Amino acid sequence: MSESSPITPDPNQPEAIVNPGDRSAKTRQLLGMKGAAPGETSIWKIRLQLMKPITWIPLIWGVVCGAASSGNYTWSLENVLKAAACMLLSGPLLTGYTQTLNDFYDREIDAINEPYRPIPSGAISVPQVATQIITLFLGGIALAFVLDLWAGHDFPNVTVLALFGSFIAFIYSAPPLKLKQNGWLGNYALGASYIALPWWAGHALFGQLNWKIIVITLIYSLAGLGIAIVNDFKSVEGDRQLGLQSLPVMFGVDKAAWICVVMIDVFQGLIAAYLVSIHENLYAAILALLIIPQITFQDMYFLRDPLKNDVKYQASAQPFLVLGMLVAGLALGHAGI
């Protein structure tokens, strides 16, 4: 439209005003984050919210670390497509399955802590949730089998890992075991699922998964246990009411915060020490340097008020933790572990 034909606002038409806070709350709702807003009506957005896309990122990154630690990844089109398919498996499909399953079994506690979540708010029915769980699980296992065929595996490594991860997700959320009722077991299962499992899948897809990689990543997962504890602070009140033994409930908020940061820092430091032991000194130094900003943000935010600053701490510190994972993966690949 030319400058000689300006648009004149209609004085009878009310002006649409978008509240930035409302937009932020809706975005948080869609991503499955704390501080969301109720009122979403699109069934597909509700289904996506159940899958908590914000939680896919560490799993996708874990596949990258596993591909790096295999020492065999090259930048060919086929390998990029394989890695992308493995990321789809670990992130949207099986993490989506895990998060939907967890919301299904947590609907009572979510009614206390996060009543805007899709199930307690009534935005989606229980049969619809069950259908989503089954679809994501079957889709994930099918894709894992395709990846094994694509990689030419004699033994279906990726499929077995997918089945094992799905089983851990089930016993984490579902009774009678419901591992999340135990602060130590539940958080370690969560930490290992976020670090070790996708790492193993990426490594197995491009190389030979061996016991050294399994042990190293399980140790690294103890740092992931610390990250998992951070997630418990947002639901401490509901956990206390329902008798769930999360670490903030067991030890109190302040002591649990210290346990959390010590786990995160010490086990990253142990991985850096191991890299020195295999003569990957440059990678070890980089990993050690990446721990420093995490300690800084722990002091600035988390230790001062873990209930208020849990999300701010995660947003600030976790990029350095996941970058350190890639550094460790590259070091292991370079050393031929």
Side-chain angles (χ1 to χ4, degrees), residues 175-198:
L177 293 179
K178 202 174 178 70
L179 295 181
K180 67 181 300 179
Q181 290 180 328
N182 183 292
W184 293 109
L185 284 177
N187 283 320
Y188 185 67
L190 192 61
S193 296
Y194 270 73
I195 293 179
L197 275 172

Side-chain angles (χ1 to χ4, degrees), residues 53-329:
I54 195 69
T55 64
W56 303 347
I57 299 170
L59 281 292
I60 290 171
W61 189 256
V63 172
V64 175
C65 297
S69 69
S70 73
N72 297 321
Y73 183 84
T74 57
W75 288 98
S76 66
L77 177 60
E78 182 179 12
N79 283 347
V80 169
L81 292 175
K82 279 183 186 176
C86 196
M87 291 175 189
L88 175 63
L89 167 68
S90 297
L93 291 176
L94 291 188
T95 306
Y97 153 80
T98 300
Q99 295 295 347
T100 308
L101 186 73
N102 187 63
D103 263 29
F104 176 80
Y105 284 108
D106 272 6
R107 55 193 184 276
E108 292 182 4
I109 195 169
D110 282 346
I112 298 170
N113 293 319
E114 299 176 274
Y116 51 80
R117 296 293 302 160
I119 302 174
S121 69
I124 188 170
S125 69
V126 169
Q128 287 175 310
V129 175
T131 300
Q132 179 163 323
I133 291 169
I134 294 169
T135 301
L136 290 170
F137 169 72
L138 293 178
I141 301 306
L143 180 56
F145 185 71
V146 168
L147 284 171
D148 278 319
L149 293 177
W150 196 352
H153 290 159
D154 294 327
F155 181 80
N157 298 314
V158 180
T159 303
V160 169
L161 288 173
L163 287 167
F164 176 68
S166 301
F167 172 71
I168 295 297
F170 183 78
I171 64 173
Y172 174 81
S173 297
L177 293 179
K178 202 174 178 70
L179 295 181
K180 67 181 300 179
Q181 290 180 328
N182 183 292
W184 293 109
L185 284 177
N187 283 320
Y188 185 67
L190 192 61
S193 296
Y194 270 73
I195 293 179
L197 275 172
W199 194 313
W200 297 347
H203 192 105
L205 188 60
F206 295 101
Q208 295 294 322
L209 187 60
N210 58 72
W211 68 267
K212 287 185 179 180
I213 292 295
I214 290 173
V215 171
I216 291 165
T217 51
L218 286 175
I219 293 172
Y220 219 140
S221 296
L222 288 165
L225 188 156
I227 293 297
I229 296 171
V230 177
N231 295 322
D232 288 338
F233 288 92
K234 70 180 180 182
S235 56
V236 62
E237 187 56 39
D239 290 347
R240 189 178 287 120
Q241 289 183 33
L242 295 179
L244 298 181
Q245 294 300 303
S246 68
L247 265 67
V249 172
M250 293 168 63
F251 295 101
V253 169
D254 292 338
K255 191 175 291 186
W258 275 103
I259 293 171
C260 172
V261 300
V262 167
M263 297 287 290
I264 292 170
D265 299 338
V266 167
F267 287 100
Q268 287 182 91
L270 288 176
I271 296 298
Y274 175 74
L275 296 184
V276 171
S277 75
I278 59 172
H279 310 295
E280 295 294 336
N281 298 328
L282 176 60
Y283 290 107
I286 295 171
L287 178 55
L289 289 173
L290 288 169
I291 300 173
I292 295 173
Q294 295 177 62
I295 295 172
T296 303
F297 289 122
Q298 287 162 2
D299 178 62
M300 285 175 58
Y301 298 133
F302 190 64
L303 290 174
R304 299 189 183 191
D305 192 342
L307 296 178
K308 179 181 177 182
N309 295 328
D310 57 339
V311 174
K312 186 183 293 186
Y313 163 68
Q314 286 178 310
S316 303
Q318 284 195 24
F320 297 97
L321 183 142
V322 297
L323 187 57
M325 288 170 54
L326 180 58
V327 170

